[in-house]
Amino acid sequence: SQQGEEDPQALSIQEGENATMNCSYKTSINNLQWYRQNSGRGLVHLILIRSNEREKHSGRLRVTLDTSKKSSSLLITASRAADTASYFCATDAEDTGFQKLVFGTGTRLLVSP
Amino acid sequence: DGGITQSPKYLFRKEGQNVTLSCEQNLNHDAMYWYRQDPGQGLRLIYYSQIVNDFQKGDIAEGYSVSREKKESFPLTVTSAQKNPTAFYLCASSDRGEGGYTFGSGTRLTVV
C-alpha cells in the first residue's frame, strides 16, 4: 500500500526559483521523511520531521508538517539544476522500535538553467 | 566507507528462471528492506528483516523469497512464480529508532 500521495506529480521551474511539493498521508504517524532520487539511482535521505514538530530546516530545505490535515510540504529555495530529481515522502507509523517506511508516489522536479 | 552494496546493477532473466539479487551492508544496521519500483511509481515493500534469521512479508511478497543468515546480507530471490518481475529493485537498511534509511544503488531486472 502507498500511504502518501504527492502533488504535483511533476514540476518544472527555472534556476533560482523556489520549488514546493506536497505530501498527504492517511494514518497517524511517528515521523515523516523526505528522500531524493536521481534517475536510475537509489534514494537519499534528506530530512526527517517528527509528529510533534511543525517545521524543520536543513540548508535550502524547509519541511512543514500538519498532522491535523495529514499533510506535509517540502520547499526547496533558490533551486539549482542539480536539484533535478524525484522527491518522495515516506511515513513511519511503527511502534516496534524499528522503522517501516511507506513511500508516496513522488514528485518529479526539473530545474532548467 | 560504510554503505550498502547491491549487485548486479543490471540483470536479465529468462522466463521460468529464478534469479537472486544481492544486498550487503557494512553499517551494522539491524534492519534491512527490499522495495520494488516500477517506472514513474513509488516504492512498494516486498520483504523486511529486523533481526538475523527473521523476516516478514511486505505488501507484495508473492513470487519473492529472502533469507537473513547474516546481519550484513539480505539476498532477494525472484522466483518463476513472479509473473511480472521487470522492475527496479532497491535494498535499504536502517538502525533501530529514527534516522532514515540508507539505500543501495539498485538492481534493474528485465525479463527477456
Side-chain angles (χ1 to χ4, degrees), chain A residues 69-100:
Chain A
K69 295 181 179 178
K70 292 187 170 58
S71 68
S72 174
S73 68
L74 172 68
L75 169 66
I76 304 173
T77 61
S79 63
R80 307 165 181 168
D83 294 327
T84 294
S86 292
Y87 293 82
F88 293 89
C89 67
T91 53
D92 179 32
E94 285 291 292
D95 57 3
T96 62
F98 285 96
Q99 300 175 83
K100 192 175 84 170

PDB file of all heavy atoms in Angstrom, chain A residues 69-100:
ATOM      1  N   LYS A  69      -4.205  17.859   9.264  1.00  0.00           N
ATOM      2  CA  LYS A  69      -4.591  17.685   7.863  1.00  0.00           C
ATOM      3  C   LYS A  69      -3.896  16.489   7.239  1.00  0.00           C
ATOM      4  O   LYS A  69      -4.130  16.188   6.064  1.00  0.00           O
ATOM      5  CB  LYS A  69      -4.249  18.944   7.066  1.00  0.00           C
ATOM      6  CG  LYS A  69      -5.039  20.170   7.489  1.00  0.00           C
ATOM      7  CD  LYS A  69      -4.669  21.377   6.632  1.00  0.00           C
ATOM      8  CE  LYS A  69      -5.475  22.596   7.055  1.00  0.00           C
ATOM      9  NZ  LYS A  69      -5.104  23.800   6.258  1.00  0.00           N
ATOM     10  N   LYS A  70      -3.033  15.820   7.999  1.00  0.00           N
ATOM     11  CA  LYS A  70      -2.264  14.694   7.476  1.00  0.00           C
ATOM     12  C   LYS A  70      -1.558  15.097   6.185  1.00  0.00           C
ATOM     13  O   LYS A  70      -1.726  14.454   5.122  1.00  0.00           O
ATOM     14  CB  LYS A  70      -3.135  13.462   7.276  1.00  0.00           C
ATOM     15  CG  LYS A  70      -3.644  12.860   8.581  1.00  0.00           C
ATOM     16  CD  LYS A  70      -4.373  11.548   8.348  1.00  0.00           C
ATOM     17  CE  LYS A  70      -4.670  10.824   9.653  1.00  0.00           C
ATOM     18  NZ  LYS A  70      -5.464  11.607  10.610  1.00  0.00           N
ATOM     19  N   SER A  71      -0.779  16.145   6.280  1.00  0.00           N
ATOM     20  CA  SER A  71      -0.078  16.622   5.100  1.00  0.00           C
ATOM     21  C   SER A  71       1.266  17.234   5.479  1.00  0.00           C
ATOM     22  O   SER A  71       1.467  17.688   6.610  1.00  0.00           O
ATOM     23  CB  SER A  71      -0.918  17.643   4.343  1.00  0.00           C
ATOM     24  OG  SER A  71      -1.047  18.821   5.106  1.00  0.00           O
ATOM     25  N   SER A  72       2.160  17.251   4.490  1.00  0.00           N
ATOM     26  CA  SER A  72       3.477  17.825   4.665  1.00  0.00           C
ATOM     27  C   SER A  72       3.863  18.522   3.371  1.00  0.00           C
ATOM     28  O   SER A  72       3.359  18.182   2.294  1.00  0.00           O
ATOM     29  CB  SER A  72       4.500  16.723   4.975  1.00  0.00           C
ATOM     30  OG  SER A  72       5.814  17.228   5.010  1.00  0.00           O
ATOM     31  N   SER A  73       4.755  19.487   3.478  1.00  0.00           N
ATOM     32  CA  SER A  73       5.282  20.122   2.279  1.00  0.00           C
ATOM     33  C   SER A  73       6.792  20.224   2.378  1.00  0.00           C
ATOM     34  O   SER A  73       7.350  20.371   3.475  1.00  0.00           O
ATOM     35  CB  SER A  73       4.674  21.505   2.070  1.00  0.00           C
ATOM     36  OG  SER A  73       5.109  22.390   3.084  1.00  0.00           O
ATOM     37  N   LEU A  74       7.436  20.133   1.222  1.00  0.00           N
ATOM     38  CA  LEU A  74       8.880  20.312   1.097  1.00  0.00           C
ATOM     39  C   LEU A  74       9.113  21.518   0.203  1.00  0.00           C
ATOM     40  O   LEU A  74       8.633  21.550  -0.932  1.00  0.00           O
ATOM     41  CB  LEU A  74       9.535  19.075   0.497  1.00  0.00           C
ATOM     42  CG  LEU A  74      11.017  19.202   0.126  1.00  0.00           C
ATOM     43  CD1 LEU A  74      11.880  19.346   1.371  1.00  0.00           C
ATOM     44  CD2 LEU A  74      11.486  17.999  -0.702  1.00  0.00           C
ATOM     45  N   LEU A  75       9.835  22.488   0.719  1.00  0.00           N
ATOM     46  CA  LEU A  75      10.199  23.675  -0.047  1.00  0.00           C
ATOM     47  C   LEU A  75      11.695  23.659  -0.288  1.00  0.00           C
ATOM     48  O   LEU A  75      12.476  23.520   0.656  1.00  0.00           O
ATOM     49  CB  LEU A  75       9.809  24.939   0.722  1.00  0.00           C
ATOM     50  CG  LEU A  75      10.357  26.275   0.195  1.00  0.00           C
ATOM     51  CD1 LEU A  75       9.764  26.599  -1.166  1.00  0.00           C
ATOM     52  CD2 LEU A  75      10.108  27.398   1.185  1.00  0.00           C
ATOM     53  N   ILE A  76      12.083  23.765  -1.552  1.00  0.00           N
ATOM     54  CA  ILE A  76      13.489  23.921  -1.909  1.00  0.00           C
ATOM     55  C   ILE A  76      13.661  25.355  -2.389  1.00  0.00           C
ATOM     56  O   ILE A  76      13.034  25.764  -3.378  1.00  0.00           O
ATOM     57  CB  ILE A  76      13.918  22.950  -3.020  1.00  0.00           C
ATOM     58  CG1 ILE A  76      13.620  21.509  -2.609  1.00  0.00           C
ATOM     59  CG2 ILE A  76      15.398  23.116  -3.343  1.00  0.00           C
ATOM     60  CD1 ILE A  76      13.867  20.491  -3.722  1.00  0.00           C
ATOM     61  N   THR A  77      14.457  26.122  -1.684  1.00  0.00           N
ATOM     62  CA  THR A  77      14.638  27.526  -2.059  1.00  0.00           C
ATOM     63  C   THR A  77      15.823  27.689  -3.015  1.00  0.00           C
ATOM     64  O   THR A  77      16.754  26.874  -3.025  1.00  0.00           O
ATOM     65  CB  THR A  77      14.876  28.397  -0.819  1.00  0.00           C
ATOM     66  OG1 THR A  77      16.064  27.949  -0.154  1.00  0.00           O
ATOM     67  CG2 THR A  77      13.701  28.317   0.136  1.00  0.00           C
ATOM     68  N   ALA A  78      15.749  28.726  -3.842  1.00  0.00           N
ATOM     69  CA  ALA A  78      16.840  29.072  -4.761  1.00  0.00           C
ATOM     70  C   ALA A  78      17.342  27.845  -5.500  1.00  0.00           C
ATOM     71  O   ALA A  78      18.524  27.469  -5.414  1.00  0.00           O
ATOM     72  CB  ALA A  78      17.971  29.745  -3.993  1.00  0.00           C
ATOM     73  N   SER A  79      16.444  27.186  -6.209  1.00  0.00           N
ATOM     74  CA  SER A  79      16.759  25.896  -6.807  1.00  0.00           C
ATOM     75  C   SER A  79      17.896  25.997  -7.829  1.00  0.00           C
ATOM     76  O   SER A  79      18.137  27.048  -8.434  1.00  0.00           O
ATOM     77  CB  SER A  79      15.527  25.307  -7.462  1.00  0.00           C
ATOM     78  OG  SER A  79      15.106  26.143  -8.505  1.00  0.00           O
ATOM     79  N   ARG A  80      18.572  24.865  -8.015  1.00  0.00           N
ATOM     80  CA  ARG A  80      19.691  24.729  -8.944  1.00  0.00           C
ATOM     81  C   ARG A  80      19.401  23.592  -9.898  1.00  0.00           C
ATOM     82  O   ARG A  80      18.617  22.697  -9.584  1.00  0.00           O
ATOM     83  CB  ARG A  80      20.967  24.425  -8.173  1.00  0.00           C
ATOM     84  CG  ARG A  80      21.265  25.401  -7.057  1.00  0.00           C
ATOM     85  CD  ARG A  80      22.307  24.853  -6.111  1.00  0.00           C
ATOM     86  NE  ARG A  80      22.588  25.774  -5.006  1.00  0.00           N
ATOM     87  CZ  ARG A  80      23.279  25.466  -3.918  1.00  0.00           C
ATOM     88  NH1 ARG A  80      23.781  24.245  -3.787  1.00  0.00           N
ATOM     89  NH2 ARG A  80      23.470  26.367  -2.963  1.00  0.00           N
ATOM     90  N   ALA A  81      20.050  23.582 -11.033  1.00  0.00           N
ATOM     91  CA  ALA A  81      19.870  22.494 -11.996  1.00  0.00           C
ATOM     92  C   ALA A  81      20.177  21.142 -11.354  1.00  0.00           C
ATOM     93  O   ALA A  81      19.541  20.128 -11.672  1.00  0.00           O
ATOM     94  CB  ALA A  81      20.763  22.722 -13.218  1.00  0.00           C
ATOM     95  N   ALA A  82      21.107  21.128 -10.422  1.00  0.00           N
ATOM     96  CA  ALA A  82      21.487  19.882  -9.742  1.00  0.00           C
ATOM     97  C   ALA A  82      20.383  19.361  -8.818  1.00  0.00           C
ATOM     98  O   ALA A  82      20.464  18.214  -8.352  1.00  0.00           O
ATOM     99  CB  ALA A  82      22.767  20.091  -8.944  1.00  0.00           C
ATOM    100  N   ASP A  83      19.352  20.159  -8.566  1.00  0.00           N
ATOM    101  CA  ASP A  83      18.220  19.696  -7.752  1.00  0.00           C
ATOM    102  C   ASP A  83      17.261  18.836  -8.566  1.00  0.00           C
ATOM    103  O   ASP A  83      16.322  18.260  -8.003  1.00  0.00           O
ATOM    104  CB  ASP A  83      17.452  20.881  -7.163  1.00  0.00           C
ATOM    105  CG  ASP A  83      18.267  21.670  -6.152  1.00  0.00           C
ATOM    106  OD1 ASP A  83      19.095  21.052  -5.449  1.00  0.00           O
ATOM    107  OD2 ASP A  83      18.085  22.903  -6.062  1.00  0.00           O
ATOM    108  N   THR A  84      17.450  18.774  -9.879  1.00  0.00           N
ATOM    109  CA  THR A  84      16.611  17.949 -10.735  1.00  0.00           C
ATOM    110  C   THR A  84      16.666  16.502 -10.274  1.00  0.00           C
ATOM    111  O   THR A  84      17.734  15.888 -10.233  1.00  0.00           O
ATOM    112  CB  THR A  84      17.059  18.048 -12.194  1.00  0.00           C
ATOM    113  OG1 THR A  84      16.836  19.383 -12.658  1.00  0.00           O
ATOM    114  CG2 THR A  84      16.303  17.066 -13.071  1.00  0.00           C
ATOM    115  N   ALA A  85      15.503  15.961  -9.899  1.00  0.00           N
ATOM    116  CA  ALA A  85      15.412  14.618  -9.325  1.00  0.00           C
ATOM    117  C   ALA A  85      13.946  14.345  -9.027  1.00  0.00           C
ATOM    118  O   ALA A  85      13.085  15.211  -9.208  1.00  0.00           O
ATOM    119  CB  ALA A  85      16.231  14.519  -8.036  1.00  0.00           C
ATOM    120  N   SER A  86      13.670  13.128  -8.541  1.00  0.00           N
ATOM    121  CA  SER A  86      12.352  12.824  -7.980  1.00  0.00           C
ATOM    122  C   SER A  86      12.436  12.899  -6.464  1.00  0.00           C
ATOM    123  O   SER A  86      13.446  12.499  -5.878  1.00  0.00           O
ATOM    124  CB  SER A  86      11.894  11.436  -8.415  1.00  0.00           C
ATOM    125  OG  SER A  86      11.628  11.404  -9.794  1.00  0.00           O
ATOM    126  N   TYR A  87      11.381  13.399  -5.876  1.00  0.00           N
ATOM    127  CA  TYR A  87      11.348  13.572  -4.421  1.00  0.00           C
ATOM    128  C   TYR A  87      10.170  12.778  -3.865  1.00  0.00           C
ATOM    129  O   TYR A  87       9.053  12.857  -4.379  1.00  0.00           O
ATOM    130  CB  TYR A  87      11.223  15.052  -4.058  1.00  0.00           C
ATOM    131  CG  TYR A  87      12.464  15.830  -4.434  1.00  0.00           C
ATOM    132  CD1 TYR A  87      12.652  16.272  -5.732  1.00  0.00           C
ATOM    133  CD2 TYR A  87      13.465  16.074  -3.500  1.00  0.00           C
ATOM    134  CE1 TYR A  87      13.808  16.955  -6.092  1.00  0.00           C
ATOM    135  CE2 TYR A  87      14.619  16.762  -3.839  1.00  0.00           C
ATOM    136  CZ  TYR A  87      14.785  17.194  -5.144  1.00  0.00           C
ATOM    137  OH  TYR A  87      15.938  17.863  -5.501  1.00  0.00           O
ATOM    138  N   PHE A  88      10.457  12.000  -2.821  1.00  0.00           N
ATOM    139  CA  PHE A  88       9.457  11.126  -2.222  1.00  0.00           C
ATOM    140  C   PHE A  88       9.292  11.456  -0.746  1.00  0.00           C
ATOM    141  O   PHE A  88      10.285  11.662  -0.035  1.00  0.00           O
ATOM    142  CB  PHE A  88       9.889   9.659  -2.334  1.00  0.00           C
ATOM    143  CG  PHE A  88       9.920   9.135  -3.735  1.00  0.00           C
ATOM    144  CD1 PHE A  88      11.072   9.246  -4.498  1.00  0.00           C
ATOM    145  CD2 PHE A  88       8.815   8.524  -4.287  1.00  0.00           C
ATOM    146  CE1 PHE A  88      11.113   8.769  -5.797  1.00  0.00           C
ATOM    147  CE2 PHE A  88       8.839   8.026  -5.578  1.00  0.00           C
ATOM    148  CZ  PHE A  88       9.998   8.156  -6.335  1.00  0.00           C
ATOM    149  N   CYS A  89       8.040  11.457  -0.297  1.00  0.00           N
ATOM    150  CA  CYS A  89       7.810  11.469   1.139  1.00  0.00           C
ATOM    151  C   CYS A  89       7.612  10.030   1.607  1.00  0.00           C
ATOM    152  O   CYS A  89       7.226   9.153   0.823  1.00  0.00           O
ATOM    153  CB  CYS A  89       6.610  12.329   1.515  1.00  0.00           C
ATOM    154  SG  CYS A  89       5.007  11.699   0.966  1.00  0.00           S
ATOM    155  N   ALA A  90       7.911   9.790   2.862  1.00  0.00           N
ATOM    156  CA  ALA A  90       7.749   8.456   3.445  1.00  0.00           C
ATOM    157  C   ALA A  90       7.327   8.614   4.887  1.00  0.00           C
ATOM    158  O   ALA A  90       7.838   9.482   5.597  1.00  0.00           O
ATOM    159  CB  ALA A  90       9.052   7.667   3.357  1.00  0.00           C
ATOM    160  N   THR A  91       6.391   7.787   5.304  1.00  0.00           N
ATOM    161  CA  THR A  91       5.893   7.886   6.667  1.00  0.00           C
ATOM    162  C   THR A  91       6.224   6.625   7.454  1.00  0.00           C
ATOM    163  O   THR A  91       6.274   5.522   6.909  1.00  0.00           O
ATOM    164  CB  THR A  91       4.370   8.084   6.677  1.00  0.00           C
ATOM    165  OG1 THR A  91       3.754   7.064   5.885  1.00  0.00           O
ATOM    166  CG2 THR A  91       3.989   9.441   6.125  1.00  0.00           C
ATOM    167  N   ASP A  92       6.463   6.831   8.733  1.00  0.00           N
ATOM    168  CA  ASP A  92       6.754   5.737   9.636  1.00  0.00           C
ATOM    169  C   ASP A  92       5.693   5.727  10.731  1.00  0.00           C
ATOM    170  O   ASP A  92       5.534   6.729  11.437  1.00  0.00           O
ATOM    171  CB  ASP A  92       8.144   5.906  10.246  1.00  0.00           C
ATOM    172  CG  ASP A  92       8.485   4.795  11.229  1.00  0.00           C
ATOM    173  OD1 ASP A  92       8.021   3.653  11.023  1.00  0.00           O
ATOM    174  OD2 ASP A  92       9.199   5.065  12.210  1.00  0.00           O
ATOM    175  N   ALA A  93       4.982   4.607  10.846  1.00  0.00           N
ATOM    176  CA  ALA A  93       3.932   4.503  11.863  1.00  0.00           C
ATOM    177  C   ALA A  93       4.171   3.325  12.793  1.00  0.00           C
ATOM    178  O   ALA A  93       3.299   2.961  13.584  1.00  0.00           O
ATOM    179  CB  ALA A  93       2.566   4.362  11.181  1.00  0.00           C
ATOM    180  N   GLU A  94       5.360   2.716  12.713  1.00  0.00           N
ATOM    181  CA  GLU A  94       5.651   1.523  13.510  1.00  0.00           C
ATOM    182  C   GLU A  94       5.844   1.855  14.979  1.00  0.00           C
ATOM    183  O   GLU A  94       6.383   2.910  15.315  1.00  0.00           O
ATOM    184  CB  GLU A  94       6.922   0.849  12.996  1.00  0.00           C
ATOM    185  CG  GLU A  94       6.709   0.098  11.692  1.00  0.00           C
ATOM    186  CD  GLU A  94       5.858  -1.135  11.854  1.00  0.00           C
ATOM    187  OE1 GLU A  94       6.313  -2.102  12.501  1.00  0.00           O
ATOM    188  OE2 GLU A  94       4.720  -1.145  11.339  1.00  0.00           O
ATOM    189  N   ASP A  95       5.450   0.932  15.838  1.00  0.00           N
ATOM    190  CA  ASP A  95       5.678   1.101  17.272  1.00  0.00           C
ATOM    191  C   ASP A  95       6.558  -0.015  17.831  1.00  0.00           C
ATOM    192  O   ASP A  95       6.508  -0.333  19.005  1.00  0.00           O
ATOM    193  CB  ASP A  95       4.341   1.152  18.025  1.00  0.00           C
ATOM    194  CG  ASP A  95       3.496  -0.084  17.765  1.00  0.00           C
ATOM    195  OD1 ASP A  95       3.977  -0.999  17.055  1.00  0.00           O
ATOM    196  OD2 ASP A  95       2.367  -0.150  18.269  1.00  0.00           O
ATOM    197  N   THR A  96       7.360  -0.619  16.951  1.00  0.00           N
ATOM    198  CA  THR A  96       8.211  -1.745  17.353  1.00  0.00           C
ATOM    199  C   THR A  96       9.619  -1.308  17.718  1.00  0.00           C
ATOM    200  O   THR A  96      10.420  -2.121  18.158  1.00  0.00           O
ATOM    201  CB  THR A  96       8.316  -2.756  16.212  1.00  0.00           C
ATOM    202  OG1 THR A  96       8.928  -2.117  15.091  1.00  0.00           O
ATOM    203  CG2 THR A  96       6.945  -3.291  15.823  1.00  0.00           C
ATOM    204  N   GLY A  97       9.935  -0.041  17.497  1.00  0.00           N
ATOM    205  CA  GLY A  97      11.305   0.437  17.693  1.00  0.00           C
ATOM    206  C   GLY A  97      12.106   0.410  16.412  1.00  0.00           C
ATOM    207  O   GLY A  97      13.213   0.931  16.346  1.00  0.00           O
ATOM    208  N   PHE A  98      11.547  -0.222  15.404  1.00  0.00           N
ATOM    209  CA  PHE A  98      12.159  -0.234  14.075  1.00  0.00           C
ATOM    210  C   PHE A  98      11.299   0.585  13.125  1.00  0.00           C
ATOM    211  O   PHE A  98      10.100   0.724  13.318  1.00  0.00           O
ATOM    212  CB  PHE A  98      12.253  -1.666  13.532  1.00  0.00           C
ATOM    213  CG  PHE A  98      13.327  -2.490  14.166  1.00  0.00           C
ATOM    214  CD1 PHE A  98      13.025  -3.345  15.220  1.00  0.00           C
ATOM    215  CD2 PHE A  98      14.633  -2.433  13.718  1.00  0.00           C
ATOM    216  CE1 PHE A  98      14.005  -4.116  15.808  1.00  0.00           C
ATOM    217  CE2 PHE A  98      15.624  -3.209  14.298  1.00  0.00           C
ATOM    218  CZ  PHE A  98      15.311  -4.048  15.348  1.00  0.00           C
ATOM    219  N   GLN A  99      11.941   1.112  12.088  1.00  0.00           N
ATOM    220  CA  GLN A  99      11.202   1.828  11.074  1.00  0.00           C
ATOM    221  C   GLN A  99      10.635   0.852  10.048  1.00  0.00           C
ATOM    222  O   GLN A  99      11.229  -0.184   9.781  1.00  0.00           O
ATOM    223  CB  GLN A  99      12.122   2.801  10.340  1.00  0.00           C
ATOM    224  CG  GLN A  99      12.755   3.840  11.241  1.00  0.00           C
ATOM    225  CD  GLN A  99      13.738   4.686  10.462  1.00  0.00           C
ATOM    226  OE1 GLN A  99      13.358   5.636   9.787  1.00  0.00           O
ATOM    227  NE2 GLN A  99      15.013   4.346  10.552  1.00  0.00           N
ATOM    228  N   LYS A 100       9.510   1.194   9.480  1.00  0.00           N
ATOM    229  CA  LYS A 100       8.989   0.515   8.299  1.00  0.00           C
ATOM    230  C   LYS A 100       8.286   1.580   7.484  1.00  0.00           C
ATOM    231  O   LYS A 100       7.138   1.910   7.723  1.00  0.00           O
ATOM    232  CB  LYS A 100       8.020  -0.609   8.666  1.00  0.00           C
ATOM    233  CG  LYS A 100       7.700  -1.510   7.469  1.00  0.00           C
ATOM    234  CD  LYS A 100       6.824  -2.698   7.841  1.00  0.00           C
ATOM    235  CE  LYS A 100       5.373  -2.328   7.852  1.00  0.00           C
ATOM    236  NZ  LYS A 100       4.489  -3.506   7.987  1.00  0.00           N
TER     237      LYS A 100
END
